[in-house]
């Protein structure tokens, strides 16, 4: 990541990218990886493919519809689920490259390669979950907004139309895509404020009013949907019916902890005792970025979306590393571009070189770990944990073997359909 980095030359970058791509493709060998969310998505996809009533699950329909299409095409297996995730990841990285075309080739190369080494990104590809699909569609929507702002005449309207459609598609995959709405409105207002001629200005003004009204209708319709109501029941439980102080404090700590996990690039699930370190790292990094932020700050579709997305994550009462996966390249772009503006004194260069080495090593370790699981064959259930994603339960407490029986029955059904077998519970 130094200014003299050899990655600026195409060959080293191509070799590094191809090598990481091979390891990502190896994940297609994994047996079906499940957890409670994956089971629900697969159940919904199976119901749509069969034309049966949907199970009572509060999840958006976009990703289950995609799973159903694969199922109906005879591609309903772990191999094709993971292959599709890899394709979505590639599309999202291509769009990221296009979005940050103003920061230079070397820095963009660093963003792409480091993204592929982020632990939540590595883990997201190998499971039938919607993060990579949402990443691809949301970044494409941002790219369309960016191009639309600087486009001419009818091309501008076409790009804004594409952005609107892509934003709607992203909402069908993950409801957090509401964070795209402020970015889209800002893009329309900027274009309205800088029309290329009077006629286009009037036309764009009419279109902008229509877009605002359409977004208002979309938000109202979304708020009336059962899936939205289901999602809102979780924060309502914590912030309205629960004690206010404890959830707020926990959310602040959880947000900094998640940010620290991304920066340290090691999973909290494996290092529970390091939670204070995760929180401190996230807090110091956030404060440090704000202090060194170049002023005045110029709003962009990417910046507004990133701020809105993080605000949603702060409000959401639960922590999960995979929730941060879709904005990982955008966060990396902030870090990499900030580093590119530093004065490269020997101490600064030493710190950056050391941190980059740490990030690369931990990323390669994550890839090696997940590849070992993917190629584990008969040992998959043991290495993946929880008997291959099945609920075993404890003898004491709320999660007893008896309480896990309904989930395990559902997990058995999706494993038989999409995994070719069901794990034997122990």
């Amino acid at each position: 990541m130094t200014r003299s980095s050899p990655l600026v030359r195409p060959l080293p970058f191509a070799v590094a990218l191809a090598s990481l791509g091979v390891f990502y493709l190896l994940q297609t060998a994994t047996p079906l990886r499940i957890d409670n969310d994956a089971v629900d998505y697969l159940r919904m996809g199976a119901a749509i493919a069969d034309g049966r009533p949907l199970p009572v699950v509060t999840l958006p329909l976009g990703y289950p519809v995609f799973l159903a299409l694969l199922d109906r095409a005879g591609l309903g297996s772990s191999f094709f689920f993971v292959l599709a995730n890899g394709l979505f990841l590639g599309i999202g990285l291509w769009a990221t490259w296009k979005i940050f075309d103003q920061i230079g080739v070397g820095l963009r190369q660093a963003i792409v390669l480091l993204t592929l080494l982020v632990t939540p990104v590595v883990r997201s590809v190998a499971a039938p979950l919607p993060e990579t699909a949402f990443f691809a569609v949301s970044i494409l929507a941002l790219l369309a907004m960016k191009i639309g702002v600087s486009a001419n005449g009818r091309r501008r309207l076409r790009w804004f139309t594409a952005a609107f459609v892509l934003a709607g598609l992203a909402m069908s995959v993950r409801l957090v895509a509401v964070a795209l709405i402020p970015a889209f409105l800002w893009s329309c207002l900027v274009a309205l404020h800088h029309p290329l001629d009077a006629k286009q200005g009037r036309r764009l003004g009419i279109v902008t009013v229509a877009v605002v009204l359409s977004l208002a209708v979309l938000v109202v319709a979304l708020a009336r949907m059962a899936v939205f109501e289901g999602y809102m029941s979780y924060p309502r439980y914590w912030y309205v019916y629960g004690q206010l102080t404890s959830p707020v404090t926990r959310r602040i700590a959880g947000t900094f902890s998640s940010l620290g996990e991304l920066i340290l690039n090691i999973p909290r699930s494996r290092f529970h005792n390091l939670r204070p370190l995760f929180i401190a790292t996230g807090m110091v990094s956030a404060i440090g970025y704000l202090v060194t932020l170049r002023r005045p700050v110029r709003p962009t579709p990417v910046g507004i979306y990133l701020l809105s997305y993080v605000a949603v994550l702060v409000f959401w009462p639960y922590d999960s590393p995979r929730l941060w996966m879709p904005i990982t390249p955008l966060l990396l772009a902030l870090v990499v571009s900030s580093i590119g503006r530093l004065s490269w004194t020997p101490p600064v260069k030493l710190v950056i070189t050391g941190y980059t080495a740490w990030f690369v090593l931990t990323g390669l370790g994550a890839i090696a770990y997940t590849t070992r699981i993917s190629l584990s064959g008969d040992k998959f259930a043991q290495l993946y944990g929880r008997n291959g994603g099945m609920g075993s339960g404890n003898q004491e407490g709320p999660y007893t073997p008896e309480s896990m029986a309904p989930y395990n029955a559902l997990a058995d059904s999706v494993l038989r359909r999409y995994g070719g077998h069901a794990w034997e519970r122990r």
Side-chain angles (χ1 to χ4, degrees), residues 256-325:
F256 283 129
S257 181
S258 296
L259 188 58
E261 180 177 4
L262 290 176
I263 294 168
L264 294 174
N265 205 31
I266 54 177
R268 281 178 295 172
S269 59
R270 299 291 178 181
F271 299 93
H272 295 289
N273 295 334
L274 297 181
R275 188 169 187 269
L277 177 61
F278 288 123
I279 296 173
T281 300
M283 185 179 300
V284 170
S285 301
I287 294 173
Y289 176 76
L290 293 176
V291 169
T292 59
L293 185 64
R294 176 182 289 180
R295 293 170 176 81
V297 178
R298 296 181 178 178
T300 63
V302 171
I304 293 173
Y305 167 68
L306 189 57
L307 186 63
S308 302
Y309 191 104
V310 173
V312 172
L313 291 188
V314 173
F315 176 73
W316 186 246
Y318 302 106
D319 292 317
S320 176
R322 67 185 181 89
L323 298 179
W324 292 78
M325 181 269 166

